[in-house]
């Protein structure tokens, strides 16, 4: 069983920053592509940032966001700066085995429960 648990969401004013965390169980970082997705009410879930098993960032929605991971802590991060109201969404940590090859939601078979980000 692979478990992903997000944290770090909250309510911030426009221009503020948040650092989201995703605690991953097992040896997920050894051979997994990991990503952050987000979904606002009434909108499709969209990829935000993707990082490969070797730490290579393969996709960023915005230069305001930085994806990273700490293998020692088995944790994925999303640093979000200069947040805008349109960034408000439920943010999800996701993963799939092997190397990163797609931003398609259906390619990710492991998902966390999400953490809410609200920017006003």
């Amino acid at each position: 069983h692979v478990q992903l648990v997000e944290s770090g969401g909250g309510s911030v004013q426009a221009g503020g920053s948040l650092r989201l965390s995703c605690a991953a169980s097992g040896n997920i970082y050894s051979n997994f592509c990991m990503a952050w997705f987000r979904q606002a009410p009434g909108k499709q879930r969209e990829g935000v940032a993707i990082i490969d098993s070797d730490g290579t960032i393969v996709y960023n929605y915005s230069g305001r966001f930085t994806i990273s991971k700490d293998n020692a802590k088995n944790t994925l991060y999303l640093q979000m700066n200069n947040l805008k109201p349109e960034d408000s969404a439920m943010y999800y940590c996701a993963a799939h085995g092997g190397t990163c090859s797609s931003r398609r939601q259906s390619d990710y078979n492991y998902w966390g429960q999400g953490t809410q980000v609200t920017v006003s």
Side-chain angles (χ1 to χ4, degrees):
H1 176 71
V2 176
Q3 185 178 34
L4 305 174
V5 181
E6 303 94 334
S7 62
S11 298
V12 298
Q13 293 182 330
S17 298
L18 285 173
R19 190 191 194 193
L20 307 183
S21 299
C22 171
S25 66
N27 198 25
I28 190 168
Y29 292 106
S30 64
N31 192 34
F32 280 83
C33 174
M34 302 198 71
W36 288 97
F37 286 77
R38 69 184 184 186
Q39 187 169 26
K43 303 291 185 179
Q44 292 260 52
R45 189 170 298 185
E46 62 179 348
V48 175
I50 304 172
I51 188 167
D52 214 337
S53 58
D54 66 355
T56 301
I57 299 171
V58 299
Y59 177 74
N60 290 106
Y61 163 75
S62 171
R64 298 177 291 114
F65 297 173
T66 302
I67 188 171
S68 63
K69 60 181 180 178
D70 186 335
N71 288 349
K73 296 181 179 180
N74 228 21
T75 302
L76 180 75
Y77 301 100
L78 183 67
Q79 178 67 46
M80 304 187 294
N81 298 322
N82 192 24
L83 285 162
K84 303 175 180 179
E86 50 264 47
D87 295 320
S88 297
M90 183 73 74
Y91 282 73
Y92 298 92
C93 177
H96 69 76
T99 59
C100 296
S101 61
S102 175
R103 290 189 284 127
R104 293 173 59 187
Q105 177 181 325
S106 60
D107 288 339
Y108 294 82
N109 55 341
Y110 302 109
W111 293 86
Q113 295 297 304
T115 185
Q116 181 67 46
V117 172
T118 302
V119 185
S120 61

